[in-house]
Amino acid sequence: MRTAFALFFALALANPTGRATATTANAGESIYLYGISGSGAPIEAARPASGLSAKGADAACVNCHQRSGLGSYEGYNEALTIPPITGPYLFHARAAVTNQPILPYVEWMHGNRDPYTDQTLARAIRDGLDSQGRPLHHLMPRYPLSDADMASLISYLKNLGQSTVPGVGDSVLHFATVITPDADPVRRRAMLGVMEAYFAEKNNFPIGPSRQLRTSGKTGYAKSMFMSHRLWQLHVWDLSGPRDTWQAQLERHFSEQPVLAMVSGLGAGNWTPVHEFCQKQAVPCLFPNVDVPVDDRHDFYSIYFSRGVLLEAELIARAIADMAPGARPVQVQQVYRAGDSGEAAARELAATLEHAGIEVHDLVLESGATLRGMEKAFPRAGGSGALVLWLRPKDLAALGEPPGAAIPVFISGLMGGLEQAPLPLAWRSRARLAYPYEMPEQRSLRMRYPLTWFSMNKIPVVDEPLQTNTFLACGLLAETLSHVADNFAQPYLVEMLQASIERRLINTGYYPRLVLGWNQHFASKGGYMARFVDPAGSRVAAESDWLVP
C-alpha cells in the first residue's frame, strides 16, 4: 500500500478537477474544485510536519475529499481514510442526540467528535485542529484563507450534498438507457434484451426498510442508514432526428422522469451530445456501447469501458512506430466512410502519425458509395506505404484486390467484427487487426458465466461483445450500489465505481482487467495487434503483448 505521504502527492498531481477559472461565480466552489480564491489568485496550502506545500489546483480540496465531499480511502483494507466534509456530516451532532436526521451511510465517517461550528471549522482549515481542538492527521494541509474566502468555502461545504438526488424513491431507483437514431435495430434489441432480463432478475428480491447501523473504529459513535432493497426501473430514451436536437430531447426525458444514472446505451457515431448532457445535469453515464467515446479529462460523469476506435488508432500508431526503420512507412492511406466512427479514428491516427513525420492521406467514402476502383488509391508497393481500413463488415467483404505484397494493412477490429471480420482470402493473411479485448482463448473462462446467464434467460446471442458489455455494465452498477449503501449522491456513485471496479478480478467479460483511478474515465487501457492464424478460418493470435499506448 502506498504511504500517506505518497497518497497526498498522487492525488495532488493527478489534479482531478474541472477547468480552473478565476471567474467562477461561486468563490467557495472555485476554492474547493479548482484551488482558485475569490480574487482569482491560486490558494496555497502547507504541511508543517514535512515542510512541503501545494498551490492552486494541487491544493484544491477535491483532490482528497472528492467532488462529492464524501471523502475516500486508500488501500483495500482502508487503513487510511479521508472523512466526509459536507454540511450534513460536519455539523451533525453525536449519535446520542436523537432529534437530528440519520445520516446516509459512509464507512469512513467520523462520528466520535463534537459537531463543527463556523469558527471551529475555520480553525480546522487554517490550523489543523478538529472541533474539539485535537490535531488532525498530517495529510490535512493548512490553508491561510482570508475571512471572505473562508466564509465562501464554509458556505459551499454547508450546501454540498444537500440537494435531492433525482430518480431515487422510497422503493424504486430509476435508470435510463439512451439509444441514438443511428443505432442498428438488431443491436438495440440485443442490448435491451439483456438489460430487461437483468432488471427483472434484480427485482425478484423482496423490498425491506433500511436498518440502522453502528459502524466500527473511528466511526464507532456514528449511526446511519444501511441498504434497503429498491426496485430497479428502466426507462428507454430513444432519440430521433438531427444530432443538434438530442440534448433538448434528453432534457425533456429527464424532466418527465428524473433518473439516478444512465446505464449502458447504444450509439453508432457521435455520442458527444449525450456525454455533454450527462456532464451538464451531473448524471452518471456508465459504460455506453459506443465506438467513439468522448475523451475529455475535465469532465467527470461519464465512464467508458475503453477509448474504442480512438484506442485502436493508438494501437495502430504504436505498431507502425515499432516497425524496423527500413520497413516503416513514410506515408499512410486511410479509408473510412463519412460520418461513421472511422472518421474520428482517422483523425486521431493522422494527428499521431503526422507528429512523427509520416504523411497521411484519407480516402473518404460517401454514404452509399461502392468500393469499386478504390484500389487505385492504395499505396504502391515498395515498403514506403501502409493502408488502414476503418470499415464495417459489409465493406470489408466487398474489397477487391489488395495492394502490393510489401504494403502492410491495418484494420479496425471493433468496426470490422474482430475475428469474424469477413475479409476476402487475399487480404486475411496480410491484415493486422487492432484488438482492444482479451484474445478469445484467454477470455473463454471468463465468458462462461455471461454465456450461461444468457442461456438461462433464453437470450439469443446475436452480438456477443455488445451483450456481454451490457451485462457487465449492469453488474458493475449493482456492485457499486452495494458499496454506496443508501448514500445515492451521484458524484459519490461515480467515485465508488472508480474505487471498487478493480476488485472485480474474474467476470470482466471481454477485458483482461478493469481498473479506474480517481477521475479516470476508461476502465480498460490497452489492447493487442493480432493476425489471422488461418486465412480460411476465424482464429486470431496476438503478435504482441498487451499494449497500453
Side-chain angles (χ1 to χ4, degrees):
M1 190 184 79
R2 291 185 297 243
T3 64
F5 176 85
L7 170 69
F8 175 79
F9 283 96
L11 291 173
L13 292 174
N15 184 22
T17 63
R19 297 171 176 83
T21 170
T23 60
T24 303
N26 186 320
E29 179 183 45
S30 179
I31 294 168
Y32 187 90
L33 293 179
Y34 313 127
I36 303 296
S37 69
S39 68
I43 66 171
E44 296 186 8
R47 299 177 67 242
S50 64
L52 299 171
S53 62
K55 187 175 182 179
D58 291 342
C61 313
V62 69
N63 288 319
C64 290
H65 292 282
Q66 302 296 302
R67 182 177 291 258
S68 67
L70 295 177
S72 59
Y73 63 89
E74 169 65 4
Y76 287 145
N77 61 0
E78 300 169 21
L80 177 63
T81 60
I82 300 170
I85 57 169
T86 65
Y89 294 88
L90 288 173
F91 299 98
H92 197 281
R94 288 177 183 265
V97 178
T98 58
N99 61 351
Q100 288 191 328
I102 297 173
L103 292 173
Y105 176 72
V106 177
E107 187 170 349
W108 42 87
M109 60 192 285
H110 289 190
N112 55 341
R113 56 156 174 76
D114 293 338
Y116 279 98
T117 64
D118 287 10
Q119 292 73 31
T120 57
L121 182 55
R123 182 180 66 181
I125 295 170
R126 286 186 176 125
D127 303 324
L129 300 175
D130 75 0
S131 59
Q132 295 170 240
R134 299 173 300 190
L136 295 171
H137 195 282
H138 69 271
L139 262 183
M140 174 64 188
R142 281 49 165 162
Y143 295 87
L145 299 179
S146 68
D147 289 344
D149 281 341
M150 183 66 73
S152 296
L153 178 58
I154 291 175
S155 175
Y156 177 77
L157 294 177
K158 284 182 176 179
N159 290 293
L160 189 60
Q162 296 280 20
S163 59
T164 302
V165 181
V168 177
D170 292 337
S171 59
V172 178
L173 297 177
H174 295 272
F175 301 98
T177 193
V178 174
I179 302 170
T180 61
D182 52 2
D184 180 83
V186 175
R187 301 186 82 221
R188 177 188 182 278
R189 288 192 297 271
M191 182 193 75
L192 289 180
V194 172
M195 296 192 75
E196 289 164 355
Y198 194 99
F199 274 54
E201 183 176 272
K202 188 71 179 171
N203 291 338
N204 281 334
F205 297 94
I207 299 174
S210 294
R211 68 179 186 274
Q212 292 183 2
L213 182 75
R214 288 186 182 273
T215 55
S216 60
K218 291 183 179 180
T219 62
Y221 296 96
K223 183 169 66 176
S224 68
M225 292 185 296
F226 194 55
M227 293 180 62
S228 64
H229 178 73
R230 288 172 168 85
L231 296 174
W232 286 20
Q233 186 166 343
L234 178 64
H235 304 273
V236 181
W237 293 353
D238 281 300
L239 303 181
S240 62
R243 190 174 297 120
D244 59 6
T245 68
W246 292 359
Q247 285 224 26
Q249 294 178 52
L250 290 167
E251 289 169 0
R252 185 175 66 252
H253 282 302
F254 189 69
S255 175
E256 293 171 354
Q257 176 54 69
V259 296
L260 173 60
M262 288 160 50
V263 187
S264 196
L266 185 61
N270 194 326
W271 188 253
T272 301
V274 184
H275 177 102
E276 291 178 346
F277 168 83
C278 292
Q279 185 65 22
K280 177 182 176 182
Q281 296 293 339
V283 174
C285 180
L286 308 179
F287 307 113
N289 296 291
V290 291
D291 289 339
V292 190
V294 180
D295 188 359
D296 190 333
R297 65 182 181 87
H298 297 108
D299 291 342
F300 177 78
Y301 285 96
S302 290
I303 303 291
Y304 303 91
F305 279 125
S306 84
R307 294 184 69 234
V309 295
L310 304 180
L311 171 62
E312 288 190 322
E314 291 183 324
L315 293 171
I316 292 172
R318 173 78 172 267
I320 291 174
D322 288 345
M323 295 172 69
R328 187 179 304 139
V330 297
Q331 61 173 328
V332 169
Q333 175 75 61
Q334 301 190 97
V335 183
Y336 61 88
R337 285 202 177 272
D340 202 354
S341 304
E343 190 168 359
R347 285 196 302 268
E348 182 87 1
L349 180 58
T352 304
L353 294 181
E354 288 171 353
H355 183 73
I358 297 175
E359 187 178 343
V360 179
H361 302 279
D362 292 346
L363 174 60
V364 183
L365 304 172
E366 297 301 326
S367 178
T370 67
L371 302 184
R372 184 175 300 171
M374 186 182 71
E375 60 272 10
K376 296 179 181 178
F378 290 168
R380 295 179 180 178
S384 63
L387 179 65
V388 181
L389 302 179
W390 303 103
L391 297 176
R392 301 286 180 185
K394 182 178 179 181
D395 283 334
L396 292 180
L399 287 171
E401 290 298 316
I407 300 300
V409 177
F410 300 92
I411 293 175
S412 163
L414 286 176
M415 295 183 65
L418 300 173
E419 61 270 18
Q420 303 300 328
L423 279 169
L425 287 177
W427 290 78
R428 293 171 73 84
S429 61
R430 305 180 36 204
R432 301 173 69 186
L433 208 62
Y435 205 97
Y437 294 131
E438 182 61 283
M439 300 307 295
E441 291 83 359
Q442 284 70 42
R443 69 173 183 254
S444 60
L445 179 61
R446 290 193 299 275
M447 286 299 299
R448 290 180 185 176
Y449 185 83
L451 291 175
T452 300
W453 189 88
F454 296 154
S455 176
M456 291 174 61
N457 285 275
K458 298 180 172 56
I459 297 174
V461 179
V462 297
D463 190 324
E464 187 176 285
L466 167 76
Q467 291 169 286
T468 302
N469 287 345
T470 301
F471 177 72
L472 182 56
C474 292
L476 289 168
L477 172 64
E479 292 173 13
T480 304
L481 288 175
S482 73
H483 294 303
V484 305
D486 273 357
N487 200 331
F488 294 110
Q490 287 164 302
Y492 185 53
L493 176 62
V494 174
E495 292 158 6
M496 289 304 293
L497 174 60
Q498 291 170 337
S500 63
I501 190 172
E502 189 174 5
R503 302 186 189 192
R504 173 179 273 252
L505 299 177
I506 299 177
N507 293 322
T508 54
Y510 266 58
Y511 301 97
R513 187 184 182 195
L514 300 174
V515 60
L516 289 165
W518 300 121
N519 209 52
Q520 289 186 354
H521 309 294
F522 302 101
S524 181
K525 309 295 195 292
Y528 298 98
M529 292 304 299
R531 291 185 182 273
F532 286 97
V533 174
D534 179 2
S538 61
R539 187 180 169 208
V540 292
E543 62 175 17
S544 68
D545 293 331
W546 180 259
L547 302 174
V548 179

